[in-house]
Amino acid sequence: MRELPSIQIQIQKCFIHVDLITVPEIHLLDIISTITAKPYSNRMPVSLVEPITAPVLLGEGPHWDERQQALFFVSILECTIHRYVLATRQHTKTKLNGRVGFIVPVEGTTDQFVVGLERTFTVVQWDGAEGSAVTVLRELGTVDTDVAPVTRINDGKADPRGRIFAGTMGYEEPLGTIAPDQGSLYRVDGGGVTKLCGGIGISNGLAWDLQRKAFYYTDTFEYNIRRYDYDVDTGEISNPKHIFDLKKNNIQAGPDGTTIDSDGNLWVALFRGGAVIKIDPTTGKLLDKVPIPAHQVTSVTFGGPDYDILFVTTASLEIEGVKQKYPCGCTFAVTGLGVKGLPNANFKLS
């Protein structure tokens, strides 16, 4: 297959991805990245990549709340939780007492959330206002108490029945150097906290496909995507197998957060890869690659009134002395992809 050239341009703070084979005549105002070649024939001609928030240090865990028409996410190392209202473009945040790995609204509420706070699953109350106080309502359980040096909770989401799936990652010191095999994956529901698997480097990923009875999960250190059989009634997972090897696909980046679209394809953030990739989990085929103007892409989710906006969180970490310049660390909204996602599930507190 002949490779199709593409280029990324910036127009009034928005970044546009253009396939030049489809749109041969376009006035380029400000070229912001090098030309990339991609053998993908099924993409839309133009996708718009727009930074919608100010930069943070380590953005993660984007969650679109349908009831509030708002995006929630975290900045882990700054210990902050964030809210972005799409209609008004209002971005607010507040600080917690510790590093926070994810945020998921509690079903039936607009001001209660389950968060991964250091190693504890915690329910908090926040009114969404800038800098307003957060009240701890309940602790659901603390994990990895027997692991030293200490781990922390990283990525987390609710499954289709409202259970929390979240994992931990190894001790990190200095920044970017993470102890291997210290983390685990957990499930949180009415029965408490259940350990699902161990020996994890950095717990990431998390997506479910009810039609295929599948759960997708990532340990970033594996440079691979896992698939499990998934029982929606019990929340049990089994029969893990690898379905997409990044290195075999010549991708020199770490797989980070994942979401799924209505066609059952996975969208995976590439940390130190400056892009989001789309893969078919049934064939292991790489379908698309969407450049993001930030090197450290951390996670993705679909949202908006029609679930046709891909929200992308990024980081601006200075690792090994390499500084990350604007717009690194921003959260981005990507439109024009020609696909739709699925609603994010909220946590059902028993």
Side-chain angles (χ1 to χ4, degrees), residues 180-210:
D181 304 326
Q182 286 191 329
S184 296
L185 175 65
Y186 295 93
R187 184 182 66 236
V188 184
D189 54 25
V193 180
T194 302
K195 182 175 177 177
L196 300 177
C197 64
I200 302 299
I202 307 176
S203 185
N204 266 311
L206 305 170
W208 293 263
D209 187 325
L210 288 180

Short mmCIF file of all heavy atoms in Angstrom, two decimals, residues 180-210:
data_model
loop_
_atom_site.label_atom_id
_atom_site.label_comp_id
_atom_site.label_asym_id
_atom_site.label_seq_id
_atom_site.Cartn_x
_atom_site.Cartn_y
_atom_site.Cartn_z
N PRO A 180 9.38 -1.78 38.65
CA PRO A 180 8.53 -2.71 37.90
C PRO A 180 7.80 -3.70 38.81
O PRO A 180 8.22 -3.96 39.94
CB PRO A 180 9.54 -3.44 37.01
CG PRO A 180 10.81 -3.44 37.80
CD PRO A 180 10.81 -2.12 38.55
N ASP A 181 6.70 -4.21 38.30
CA ASP A 181 6.00 -5.37 38.89
C ASP A 181 5.44 -5.14 40.29
O ASP A 181 5.10 -6.09 40.99
CB ASP A 181 6.92 -6.59 38.93
CG ASP A 181 7.47 -6.95 37.55
OD1 ASP A 181 6.74 -6.76 36.56
OD2 ASP A 181 8.63 -7.39 37.48
N GLN A 182 5.30 -3.89 40.72
CA GLN A 182 4.78 -3.61 42.06
C GLN A 182 3.28 -3.37 42.09
O GLN A 182 2.66 -3.47 43.15
CB GLN A 182 5.47 -2.38 42.65
CG GLN A 182 6.90 -2.60 43.11
CD GLN A 182 7.41 -1.42 43.91
OE1 GLN A 182 7.01 -0.28 43.70
NE2 GLN A 182 8.28 -1.69 44.86
N GLY A 183 2.68 -3.05 40.94
CA GLY A 183 1.29 -2.66 40.90
C GLY A 183 0.33 -3.83 40.75
O GLY A 183 0.73 -4.96 40.48
N SER A 184 -0.95 -3.51 40.90
CA SER A 184 -2.01 -4.51 40.75
C SER A 184 -3.26 -3.84 40.17
O SER A 184 -3.39 -2.62 40.19
CB SER A 184 -2.37 -5.14 42.11
OG SER A 184 -1.28 -5.86 42.64
N LEU A 185 -4.17 -4.67 39.68
CA LEU A 185 -5.47 -4.21 39.20
C LEU A 185 -6.54 -4.63 40.19
O LEU A 185 -6.56 -5.78 40.64
CB LEU A 185 -5.78 -4.79 37.81
CG LEU A 185 -7.17 -4.48 37.24
CD1 LEU A 185 -7.33 -2.99 36.97
CD2 LEU A 185 -7.42 -5.28 35.96
N TYR A 186 -7.47 -3.71 40.51
CA TYR A 186 -8.50 -3.97 41.51
C TYR A 186 -9.88 -3.65 40.95
O TYR A 186 -10.04 -2.85 40.03
CB TYR A 186 -8.26 -3.10 42.75
CG TYR A 186 -6.99 -3.43 43.49
CD1 TYR A 186 -5.81 -2.75 43.21
CD2 TYR A 186 -6.95 -4.43 44.46
CE1 TYR A 186 -4.63 -3.04 43.88
CE2 TYR A 186 -5.78 -4.73 45.14
CZ TYR A 186 -4.62 -4.04 44.84
OH TYR A 186 -3.45 -4.34 45.50
N ARG A 187 -10.88 -4.28 41.59
CA ARG A 187 -12.29 -3.96 41.33
C ARG A 187 -12.93 -3.51 42.64
O ARG A 187 -12.71 -4.13 43.69
CB ARG A 187 -13.03 -5.18 40.77
CG ARG A 187 -14.48 -4.89 40.38
CD ARG A 187 -15.20 -6.15 39.88
NE ARG A 187 -15.37 -7.14 40.94
CZ ARG A 187 -14.94 -8.39 40.89
NH1 ARG A 187 -14.28 -8.83 39.83
NH2 ARG A 187 -15.14 -9.21 41.90
N VAL A 188 -13.72 -2.44 42.57
CA VAL A 188 -14.39 -1.91 43.77
C VAL A 188 -15.89 -1.94 43.52
O VAL A 188 -16.40 -1.35 42.56
CB VAL A 188 -13.95 -0.46 44.06
CG1 VAL A 188 -14.58 0.03 45.35
CG2 VAL A 188 -12.43 -0.35 44.13
N ASP A 189 -16.61 -2.65 44.40
CA ASP A 189 -18.06 -2.73 44.28
C ASP A 189 -18.67 -2.93 45.66
O ASP A 189 -17.99 -2.71 46.68
CB ASP A 189 -18.48 -3.85 43.32
CG ASP A 189 -17.88 -5.21 43.68
OD1 ASP A 189 -17.56 -5.42 44.87
OD2 ASP A 189 -17.72 -6.05 42.78
N GLY A 190 -19.94 -3.33 45.70
CA GLY A 190 -20.62 -3.51 46.97
C GLY A 190 -19.98 -4.54 47.87
O GLY A 190 -20.17 -4.52 49.09
N GLY A 191 -19.21 -5.43 47.29
CA GLY A 191 -18.54 -6.46 48.08
C GLY A 191 -17.19 -6.04 48.60
O GLY A 191 -16.50 -6.83 49.25
N GLY A 192 -16.78 -4.81 48.32
CA GLY A 192 -15.48 -4.33 48.79
C GLY A 192 -14.49 -4.20 47.65
O GLY A 192 -14.86 -3.96 46.50
N VAL A 193 -13.23 -4.38 47.98
CA VAL A 193 -12.15 -4.25 47.01
C VAL A 193 -11.58 -5.63 46.70
O VAL A 193 -11.19 -6.37 47.63
CB VAL A 193 -11.03 -3.32 47.53
CG1 VAL A 193 -9.92 -3.21 46.50
CG2 VAL A 193 -11.59 -1.95 47.87
N THR A 194 -11.53 -5.98 45.42
CA THR A 194 -11.05 -7.29 44.99
C THR A 194 -9.84 -7.13 44.08
O THR A 194 -9.88 -6.36 43.12
CB THR A 194 -12.15 -8.05 44.22
OG1 THR A 194 -13.31 -8.18 45.05
CG2 THR A 194 -11.66 -9.43 43.80
N LYS A 195 -8.77 -7.85 44.38
CA LYS A 195 -7.59 -7.83 43.52
C LYS A 195 -7.81 -8.78 42.35
O LYS A 195 -8.13 -9.95 42.53
CB LYS A 195 -6.35 -8.25 44.32
CG LYS A 195 -5.06 -8.21 43.52
CD LYS A 195 -3.86 -8.53 44.41
CE LYS A 195 -2.57 -8.56 43.64
NZ LYS A 195 -1.38 -8.81 44.51
N LEU A 196 -7.60 -8.26 41.13
CA LEU A 196 -7.83 -9.05 39.93
C LEU A 196 -6.55 -9.61 39.33
O LEU A 196 -6.57 -10.70 38.76
CB LEU A 196 -8.56 -8.20 38.88
CG LEU A 196 -9.94 -7.66 39.31
CD1 LEU A 196 -10.52 -6.77 38.22
CD2 LEU A 196 -10.88 -8.80 39.64
N CYS A 197 -5.45 -8.87 39.41
CA CYS A 197 -4.17 -9.39 38.94
C CYS A 197 -3.05 -8.53 39.52
O CYS A 197 -3.28 -7.40 39.94
CB CYS A 197 -4.09 -9.42 37.42
SG CYS A 197 -4.16 -7.81 36.61
N GLY A 198 -1.84 -9.09 39.58
CA GLY A 198 -0.69 -8.39 40.13
C GLY A 198 0.46 -8.36 39.16
O GLY A 198 0.33 -8.69 37.98
N GLY A 199 1.63 -7.94 39.65
CA GLY A 199 2.82 -7.88 38.82
C GLY A 199 2.77 -6.81 37.76
O GLY A 199 3.37 -6.94 36.69
N ILE A 200 2.06 -5.71 38.04
CA ILE A 200 1.86 -4.65 37.07
C ILE A 200 2.90 -3.54 37.26
O ILE A 200 3.22 -3.16 38.38
CB ILE A 200 0.44 -4.05 37.21
CG1 ILE A 200 -0.62 -5.15 37.04
CG2 ILE A 200 0.22 -2.91 36.23
CD1 ILE A 200 -0.61 -5.82 35.70
N GLY A 201 3.39 -3.01 36.14
CA GLY A 201 4.31 -1.88 36.19
C GLY A 201 3.57 -0.57 36.33
O GLY A 201 3.67 0.14 37.34
N ILE A 202 2.79 -0.22 35.30
CA ILE A 202 1.93 0.97 35.32
C ILE A 202 0.55 0.56 34.83
O ILE A 202 0.37 0.22 33.66
CB ILE A 202 2.47 2.10 34.43
CG1 ILE A 202 3.92 2.44 34.77
CG2 ILE A 202 1.61 3.35 34.58
CD1 ILE A 202 4.54 3.48 33.85
N SER A 203 -0.44 0.61 35.71
CA SER A 203 -1.80 0.22 35.35
C SER A 203 -2.45 1.30 34.51
O SER A 203 -2.53 2.46 34.91
CB SER A 203 -2.62 -0.04 36.62
OG SER A 203 -3.91 -0.53 36.28
N ASN A 204 -2.95 0.92 33.33
CA ASN A 204 -3.53 1.88 32.40
C ASN A 204 -4.62 1.20 31.57
O ASN A 204 -5.01 0.07 31.83
CB ASN A 204 -2.45 2.47 31.49
CG ASN A 204 -1.88 3.77 32.04
OD1 ASN A 204 -2.63 4.68 32.40
ND2 ASN A 204 -0.56 3.87 32.11
N GLY A 205 -5.06 1.91 30.51
CA GLY A 205 -6.03 1.32 29.60
C GLY A 205 -7.44 1.41 30.13
O GLY A 205 -7.88 2.49 30.51
N LEU A 206 -8.16 0.31 30.15
CA LEU A 206 -9.51 0.14 30.69
C LEU A 206 -10.59 0.51 29.67
O LEU A 206 -10.90 1.68 29.46
CB LEU A 206 -9.73 0.94 31.98
CG LEU A 206 -8.75 0.69 33.11
CD1 LEU A 206 -8.96 1.73 34.21
CD2 LEU A 206 -8.92 -0.71 33.67
N ALA A 207 -11.17 -0.50 29.04
CA ALA A 207 -12.31 -0.33 28.15
C ALA A 207 -13.09 -1.64 28.11
O ALA A 207 -12.51 -2.71 28.26
CB ALA A 207 -11.86 0.08 26.74
N TRP A 208 -14.40 -1.52 27.88
CA TRP A 208 -15.27 -2.69 27.87
C TRP A 208 -16.08 -2.73 26.59
O TRP A 208 -16.50 -1.70 26.06
CB TRP A 208 -16.25 -2.64 29.05
CG TRP A 208 -15.62 -2.78 30.39
CD1 TRP A 208 -15.51 -3.93 31.14
CD2 TRP A 208 -15.00 -1.74 31.17
NE1 TRP A 208 -14.87 -3.66 32.32
CE2 TRP A 208 -14.54 -2.33 32.39
CE3 TRP A 208 -14.79 -0.38 30.98
CZ2 TRP A 208 -13.90 -1.60 33.38
CZ3 TRP A 208 -14.14 0.35 31.97
CH2 TRP A 208 -13.70 -0.26 33.15
N ASP A 209 -16.32 -3.95 26.09
CA ASP A 209 -17.17 -4.17 24.92
C ASP A 209 -18.19 -5.24 25.31
O ASP A 209 -17.86 -6.43 25.39
CB ASP A 209 -16.33 -4.62 23.72
CG ASP A 209 -17.14 -4.70 22.43
OD1 ASP A 209 -18.33 -5.06 22.50
OD2 ASP A 209 -16.58 -4.40 21.37
N LEU A 210 -19.42 -4.81 25.55
CA LEU A 210 -20.45 -5.75 26.00
C LEU A 210 -20.82 -6.75 24.92
O LEU A 210 -21.09 -7.92 25.21
CB LEU A 210 -21.69 -4.98 26.46
CG LEU A 210 -21.57 -4.22 27.78
CD1 LEU A 210 -22.87 -3.50 28.10
CD2 LEU A 210 -21.21 -5.18 28.91
#
